[in-house]
PDB file of all heavy atoms in Angstrom:
ATOM      1  N   ASN A1408      -1.536-130.040 -18.161  1.00  0.00           N
ATOM      2  CA  ASN A1408      -0.175-129.260 -18.210  1.00  0.00           C
ATOM      3  C   ASN A1408       0.801-129.993 -19.144  1.00  0.00           C
ATOM      4  O   ASN A1408       1.827-129.500 -19.412  1.00  0.00           O
ATOM      5  CB  ASN A1408       0.375-129.034 -16.812  1.00  0.00           C
ATOM      6  CG  ASN A1408       0.695-130.313 -16.064  1.00  0.00           C
ATOM      7  OD1 ASN A1408       1.034-131.332 -16.656  1.00  0.00           O
ATOM      8  ND2 ASN A1408       0.503-130.321 -14.786  1.00  0.00           N
ATOM      9  N   PHE A1409       0.391-131.185 -19.563  1.00  0.00           N
ATOM     10  CA  PHE A1409       1.227-131.920 -20.593  1.00  0.00           C
ATOM     11  C   PHE A1409       2.680-132.162 -20.151  1.00  0.00           C
ATOM     12  O   PHE A1409       3.600-132.177 -20.937  1.00  0.00           O
ATOM     13  CB  PHE A1409       1.158-131.262 -21.923  1.00  0.00           C
ATOM     14  CG  PHE A1409      -0.246-131.146 -22.554  1.00  0.00           C
ATOM     15  CD1 PHE A1409      -1.019-130.012 -22.374  1.00  0.00           C
ATOM     16  CD2 PHE A1409      -0.760-132.212 -23.349  1.00  0.00           C
ATOM     17  CE1 PHE A1409      -2.236-129.912 -22.914  1.00  0.00           C
ATOM     18  CE2 PHE A1409      -1.974-132.119 -23.932  1.00  0.00           C
ATOM     19  CZ  PHE A1409      -2.742-130.928 -23.720  1.00  0.00           C
ATOM     20  N   GLN A1410       2.869-132.250 -18.859  1.00  0.00           N
ATOM     21  CA  GLN A1410       4.216-132.293 -18.416  1.00  0.00           C
ATOM     22  C   GLN A1410       4.927-133.655 -18.705  1.00  0.00           C
ATOM     23  O   GLN A1410       6.084-133.656 -18.933  1.00  0.00           O
ATOM     24  CB  GLN A1410       4.262-132.139 -16.872  1.00  0.00           C
ATOM     25  CG  GLN A1410       5.799-131.935 -16.441  1.00  0.00           C
ATOM     26  CD  GLN A1410       5.984-132.231 -14.963  1.00  0.00           C
ATOM     27  OE1 GLN A1410       5.062-132.180 -14.134  1.00  0.00           O
ATOM     28  NE2 GLN A1410       7.239-132.281 -14.541  1.00  0.00           N
ATOM     29  N   TYR A1411       4.133-134.752 -18.636  1.00  0.00           N
ATOM     30  CA  TYR A1411       4.804-136.065 -18.772  1.00  0.00           C
ATOM     31  C   TYR A1411       4.571-136.716 -20.096  1.00  0.00           C
ATOM     32  O   TYR A1411       3.320-136.797 -20.460  1.00  0.00           O
ATOM     33  CB  TYR A1411       4.359-136.977 -17.672  1.00  0.00           C
ATOM     34  CG  TYR A1411       4.925-136.629 -16.203  1.00  0.00           C
ATOM     35  CD1 TYR A1411       4.091-135.923 -15.337  1.00  0.00           C
ATOM     36  CD2 TYR A1411       6.293-136.878 -15.911  1.00  0.00           C
ATOM     37  CE1 TYR A1411       4.717-135.561 -14.100  1.00  0.00           C
ATOM     38  CE2 TYR A1411       6.718-136.511 -14.700  1.00  0.00           C
ATOM     39  CZ  TYR A1411       6.001-135.869 -13.793  1.00  0.00           C
ATOM     40  OH  TYR A1411       6.523-135.538 -12.510  1.00  0.00           O
ATOM     41  N   LEU A1412       5.584-137.136 -20.705  1.00  0.00           N
ATOM     42  CA  LEU A1412       5.492-137.813 -22.015  1.00  0.00           C
ATOM     43  C   LEU A1412       5.779-139.320 -21.685  1.00  0.00           C
ATOM     44  O   LEU A1412       6.885-139.699 -21.442  1.00  0.00           O
ATOM     45  CB  LEU A1412       6.543-137.202 -22.905  1.00  0.00           C
ATOM     46  CG  LEU A1412       6.384-137.567 -24.399  1.00  0.00           C
ATOM     47  CD1 LEU A1412       6.427-139.103 -24.781  1.00  0.00           C
ATOM     48  CD2 LEU A1412       4.984-136.954 -24.909  1.00  0.00           C
ATOM     49  N   VAL A1413       4.566-140.028 -21.589  1.00  0.00           N
ATOM     50  CA  VAL A1413       4.643-141.391 -21.136  1.00  0.00           C
ATOM     51  C   VAL A1413       4.519-142.401 -22.187  1.00  0.00           C
ATOM     52  O   VAL A1413       3.390-142.412 -22.892  1.00  0.00           O
ATOM     53  CB  VAL A1413       3.524-141.627 -20.049  1.00  0.00           C
ATOM     54  CG1 VAL A1413       3.674-143.089 -19.525  1.00  0.00           C
ATOM     55  CG2 VAL A1413       3.689-140.625 -18.949  1.00  0.00           C
ATOM     56  N   LEU A1414       5.449-143.292 -22.453  1.00  0.00           N
ATOM     57  CA  LEU A1414       5.367-144.271 -23.521  1.00  0.00           C
ATOM     58  C   LEU A1414       5.000-145.639 -22.817  1.00  0.00           C
ATOM     59  O   LEU A1414       5.519-145.873 -21.719  1.00  0.00           O
ATOM     60  CB  LEU A1414       6.668-144.426 -24.303  1.00  0.00           C
ATOM     61  CG  LEU A1414       7.247-143.317 -24.978  1.00  0.00           C
ATOM     62  CD1 LEU A1414       8.403-143.664 -25.821  1.00  0.00           C
ATOM     63  CD2 LEU A1414       6.149-142.550 -25.842  1.00  0.00           C
ATOM     64  N   GLU A1415       4.356-146.484 -23.543  1.00  0.00           N
ATOM     65  CA  GLU A1415       4.257-147.818 -23.155  1.00  0.00           C
ATOM     66  C   GLU A1415       4.898-148.670 -24.120  1.00  0.00           C
ATOM     67  O   GLU A1415       4.618-148.536 -25.385  1.00  0.00           O
ATOM     68  CB  GLU A1415       2.834-148.291 -22.852  1.00  0.00           C
ATOM     69  CG  GLU A1415       2.320-147.750 -21.553  1.00  0.00           C
ATOM     70  CD  GLU A1415       1.021-148.364 -21.138  1.00  0.00           C
ATOM     71  OE1 GLU A1415       0.839-149.617 -21.137  1.00  0.00           O
ATOM     72  OE2 GLU A1415       0.072-147.547 -20.889  1.00  0.00           O
ATOM     73  N   ILE A1416       5.725-149.635 -23.748  1.00  0.00           N
ATOM     74  CA  ILE A1416       6.397-150.462 -24.741  1.00  0.00           C
ATOM     75  C   ILE A1416       5.728-151.816 -24.682  1.00  0.00           C
ATOM     76  O   ILE A1416       5.756-152.553 -23.696  1.00  0.00           O
ATOM     77  CB  ILE A1416       7.902-150.694 -24.279  1.00  0.00           C
ATOM     78  CG1 ILE A1416       8.520-149.217 -23.983  1.00  0.00           C
ATOM     79  CG2 ILE A1416       8.710-151.324 -25.470  1.00  0.00           C
ATOM     80  CD1 ILE A1416       8.429-148.178 -24.958  1.00  0.00           C
ATOM     81  N   GLY A1417       5.121-152.114 -25.844  1.00  0.00           N
ATOM     82  CA  GLY A1417       4.339-153.368 -25.932  1.00  0.00           C
ATOM     83  C   GLY A1417       5.237-154.583 -26.454  1.00  0.00           C
ATOM     84  O   GLY A1417       6.442-154.380 -26.870  1.00  0.00           O
ATOM     85  N   GLU A1418       4.609-155.695 -26.621  1.00  0.00           N
ATOM     86  CA  GLU A1418       5.336-156.892 -27.058  1.00  0.00           C
ATOM     87  C   GLU A1418       5.664-156.855 -28.531  1.00  0.00           C
ATOM     88  O   GLU A1418       6.641-157.550 -28.962  1.00  0.00           O
ATOM     89  CB  GLU A1418       4.448-158.102 -26.775  1.00  0.00           C
ATOM     90  CG  GLU A1418       4.463-158.509 -25.317  1.00  0.00           C
ATOM     91  CD  GLU A1418       3.488-159.565 -25.013  1.00  0.00           C
ATOM     92  OE1 GLU A1418       2.837-160.184 -25.927  1.00  0.00           O
ATOM     93  OE2 GLU A1418       3.355-159.757 -23.794  1.00  0.00           O
ATOM     94  N   ASP A1419       5.053-155.919 -29.310  1.00  0.00           N
ATOM     95  CA  ASP A1419       5.423-155.850 -30.706  1.00  0.00           C
ATOM     96  C   ASP A1419       6.667-155.143 -30.942  1.00  0.00           C
ATOM     97  O   ASP A1419       7.280-155.054 -32.014  1.00  0.00           O
ATOM     98  CB  ASP A1419       4.322-155.174 -31.525  1.00  0.00           C
ATOM     99  CG  ASP A1419       3.075-155.951 -31.562  1.00  0.00           C
ATOM    100  OD1 ASP A1419       3.166-157.195 -31.221  1.00  0.00           O
ATOM    101  OD2 ASP A1419       2.107-155.379 -31.862  1.00  0.00           O
ATOM    102  N   TYR A1420       7.168-154.380 -29.930  1.00  0.00           N
ATOM    103  CA  TYR A1420       8.454-153.631 -30.110  1.00  0.00           C
ATOM    104  C   TYR A1420       9.529-154.690 -29.859  1.00  0.00           C
ATOM    105  O   TYR A1420       9.485-155.502 -29.060  1.00  0.00           O
ATOM    106  CB  TYR A1420       8.606-152.524 -28.980  1.00  0.00           C
ATOM    107  CG  TYR A1420       9.619-151.514 -29.311  1.00  0.00           C
ATOM    108  CD1 TYR A1420       9.414-150.696 -30.312  1.00  0.00           C
ATOM    109  CD2 TYR A1420      10.774-151.466 -28.626  1.00  0.00           C
ATOM    110  CE1 TYR A1420      10.394-149.702 -30.741  1.00  0.00           C
ATOM    111  CE2 TYR A1420      11.832-150.524 -29.020  1.00  0.00           C
ATOM    112  CZ  TYR A1420      11.633-149.621 -30.015  1.00  0.00           C
ATOM    113  OH  TYR A1420      12.556-148.720 -30.310  1.00  0.00           O
ATOM    114  N   PRO A1421      10.605-154.622 -30.834  1.00  0.00           N
ATOM    115  CA  PRO A1421      11.588-155.667 -30.896  1.00  0.00           C
ATOM    116  C   PRO A1421      12.545-155.721 -29.638  1.00  0.00           C
ATOM    117  O   PRO A1421      13.231-156.636 -29.492  1.00  0.00           O
ATOM    118  CB  PRO A1421      12.333-155.377 -32.138  1.00  0.00           C
ATOM    119  CG  PRO A1421      12.097-153.938 -32.457  1.00  0.00           C
ATOM    120  CD  PRO A1421      10.808-153.597 -31.865  1.00  0.00           C
ATOM    121  N   MET A1422      12.483-154.726 -28.786  1.00  0.00           N
ATOM    122  CA  MET A1422      13.420-154.740 -27.619  1.00  0.00           C
ATOM    123  C   MET A1422      12.553-154.733 -26.416  1.00  0.00           C
ATOM    124  O   MET A1422      11.510-154.111 -26.333  1.00  0.00           O
ATOM    125  CB  MET A1422      14.226-153.442 -27.525  1.00  0.00           C
ATOM    126  CG  MET A1422      14.972-153.115 -28.854  1.00  0.00           C
ATOM    127  SD  MET A1422      15.873-151.540 -28.477  1.00  0.00           S
ATOM    128  CE  MET A1422      17.524-152.183 -28.165  1.00  0.00           C
ATOM    129  N   ALA A1423      13.075-155.254 -25.326  1.00  0.00           N
ATOM    130  CA  ALA A1423      12.477-155.120 -24.008  1.00  0.00           C
ATOM    131  C   ALA A1423      12.499-153.684 -23.570  1.00  0.00           C
ATOM    132  O   ALA A1423      13.406-152.921 -23.980  1.00  0.00           O
ATOM    133  CB  ALA A1423      13.111-156.053 -23.008  1.00  0.00           C
ATOM    134  N   ARG A1424      11.624-153.247 -22.647  1.00  0.00           N
ATOM    135  CA  ARG A1424      11.687-151.914 -22.199  1.00  0.00           C
ATOM    136  C   ARG A1424      13.027-151.509 -21.654  1.00  0.00           C
ATOM    137  O   ARG A1424      13.574-150.431 -21.983  1.00  0.00           O
ATOM    138  CB  ARG A1424      10.514-151.783 -21.109  1.00  0.00           C
ATOM    139  CG  ARG A1424      10.368-150.296 -20.585  1.00  0.00           C
ATOM    140  CD  ARG A1424      11.256-149.854 -19.498  1.00  0.00           C
ATOM    141  NE  ARG A1424      11.276-150.698 -18.326  1.00  0.00           N
ATOM    142  CZ  ARG A1424      10.468-150.632 -17.248  1.00  0.00           C
ATOM    143  NH1 ARG A1424       9.536-149.675 -17.216  1.00  0.00           N
ATOM    144  NH2 ARG A1424      10.581-151.402 -16.151  1.00  0.00           N
ATOM    145  N   ASP A1425      13.694-152.408 -20.908  1.00  0.00           N
ATOM    146  CA  ASP A1425      14.992-152.061 -20.211  1.00  0.00           C
ATOM    147  C   ASP A1425      16.011-151.921 -21.242  1.00  0.00           C
ATOM    148  O   ASP A1425      17.024-151.090 -21.001  1.00  0.00           O
ATOM    149  CB  ASP A1425      15.296-152.977 -19.082  1.00  0.00           C
ATOM    150  CG  ASP A1425      14.421-152.730 -17.840  1.00  0.00           C
ATOM    151  OD1 ASP A1425      13.584-151.849 -17.916  1.00  0.00           O
ATOM    152  OD2 ASP A1425      14.530-153.571 -16.986  1.00  0.00           O
ATOM    153  N   GLU A1426      15.939-152.655 -22.343  1.00  0.00           N
ATOM    154  CA  GLU A1426      16.975-152.583 -23.373  1.00  0.00           C
ATOM    155  C   GLU A1426      16.782-151.263 -24.172  1.00  0.00           C
ATOM    156  O   GLU A1426      17.731-150.530 -24.570  1.00  0.00           O
ATOM    157  CB  GLU A1426      16.825-153.740 -24.383  1.00  0.00           C
ATOM    158  CG  GLU A1426      17.150-155.059 -23.848  1.00  0.00           C
ATOM    159  CD  GLU A1426      16.830-156.249 -24.778  1.00  0.00           C
ATOM    160  OE1 GLU A1426      15.749-156.176 -25.432  1.00  0.00           O
ATOM    161  OE2 GLU A1426      17.612-157.124 -24.886  1.00  0.00           O
ATOM    162  N   LEU A1427      15.535-150.860 -24.274  1.00  0.00           N
ATOM    163  CA  LEU A1427      15.225-149.539 -24.904  1.00  0.00           C
ATOM    164  C   LEU A1427      15.919-148.402 -24.068  1.00  0.00           C
ATOM    165  O   LEU A1427      16.545-147.532 -24.558  1.00  0.00           O
ATOM    166  CB  LEU A1427      13.834-149.338 -25.178  1.00  0.00           C
ATOM    167  CG  LEU A1427      13.363-147.889 -25.663  1.00  0.00           C
ATOM    168  CD1 LEU A1427      14.030-147.550 -27.027  1.00  0.00           C
ATOM    169  CD2 LEU A1427      11.890-147.812 -25.760  1.00  0.00           C
ATOM    170  N   ILE A1428      15.623-148.465 -22.718  1.00  0.00           N
ATOM    171  CA  ILE A1428      16.144-147.410 -21.833  1.00  0.00           C
ATOM    172  C   ILE A1428      17.632-147.451 -21.935  1.00  0.00           C
ATOM    173  O   ILE A1428      18.306-146.348 -22.031  1.00  0.00           O
ATOM    174  CB  ILE A1428      15.807-147.819 -20.372  1.00  0.00           C
ATOM    175  CG1 ILE A1428      14.314-147.665 -20.146  1.00  0.00           C
ATOM    176  CG2 ILE A1428      16.607-147.081 -19.373  1.00  0.00           C
ATOM    177  CD1 ILE A1428      13.854-146.341 -19.632  1.00  0.00           C
ATOM    178  N   GLN A1429      18.295-148.606 -21.915  1.00  0.00           N
ATOM    179  CA  GLN A1429      19.708-148.636 -22.150  1.00  0.00           C
ATOM    180  C   GLN A1429      20.274-147.980 -23.435  1.00  0.00           C
ATOM    181  O   GLN A1429      21.226-147.296 -23.456  1.00  0.00           O
ATOM    182  CB  GLN A1429      20.148-150.117 -22.218  1.00  0.00           C
ATOM    183  CG  GLN A1429      21.325-150.439 -21.356  1.00  0.00           C
ATOM    184  CD  GLN A1429      21.654-151.979 -21.463  1.00  0.00           C
ATOM    185  OE1 GLN A1429      20.884-152.755 -21.936  1.00  0.00           O
ATOM    186  NE2 GLN A1429      22.858-152.360 -21.073  1.00  0.00           N
ATOM    187  N   ALA A1430      19.548-148.295 -24.499  1.00  0.00           N
ATOM    188  CA  ALA A1430      19.891-147.766 -25.777  1.00  0.00           C
ATOM    189  C   ALA A1430      19.800-146.172 -25.802  1.00  0.00           C
ATOM    190  O   ALA A1430      20.610-145.463 -26.254  1.00  0.00           O
ATOM    191  CB  ALA A1430      19.005-148.325 -26.888  1.00  0.00           C
ATOM    192  N   LEU A1431      18.697-145.702 -25.110  1.00  0.00           N
ATOM    193  CA  LEU A1431      18.512-144.273 -25.098  1.00  0.00           C
ATOM    194  C   LEU A1431      19.565-143.630 -24.150  1.00  0.00           C
ATOM    195  O   LEU A1431      20.059-142.477 -24.454  1.00  0.00           O
ATOM    196  CB  LEU A1431      17.033-144.003 -24.531  1.00  0.00           C
ATOM    197  CG  LEU A1431      15.887-144.339 -25.424  1.00  0.00           C
ATOM    198  CD1 LEU A1431      14.612-144.242 -24.802  1.00  0.00           C
ATOM    199  CD2 LEU A1431      15.886-143.600 -26.724  1.00  0.00           C
ATOM    200  N   HIS A1432      19.820-144.225 -23.051  1.00  0.00           N
ATOM    201  CA  HIS A1432      20.841-143.664 -22.150  1.00  0.00           C
ATOM    202  C   HIS A1432      22.203-143.607 -22.953  1.00  0.00           C
ATOM    203  O   HIS A1432      22.869-142.687 -22.728  1.00  0.00           O
ATOM    204  CB  HIS A1432      20.962-144.596 -20.914  1.00  0.00           C
ATOM    205  CG  HIS A1432      19.827-144.312 -19.943  1.00  0.00           C
ATOM    206  ND1 HIS A1432      19.814-144.754 -18.663  1.00  0.00           N
ATOM    207  CD2 HIS A1432      18.636-143.685 -20.097  1.00  0.00           C
ATOM    208  CE1 HIS A1432      18.741-144.423 -18.042  1.00  0.00           C
ATOM    209  NE2 HIS A1432      17.944-143.679 -18.858  1.00  0.00           N
TER     210      HIS A1432
END
Side-chain angles (χ1 to χ4, degrees):
N1408 60 36
F1409 297 94
Q1410 189 198 348
Y1411 288 102
L1412 197 296
V1413 181
L1414 302 187
E1415 285 192 49
I1416 314 306
E1418 284 172 8
D1419 293 345
Y1420 198 70
M1422 307 178 99
R1424 188 275 305 270
D1425 288 356
E1426 290 172 321
L1427 172 60
I1428 290 267
Q1429 220 180 349
L1431 294 172
H1432 286 192

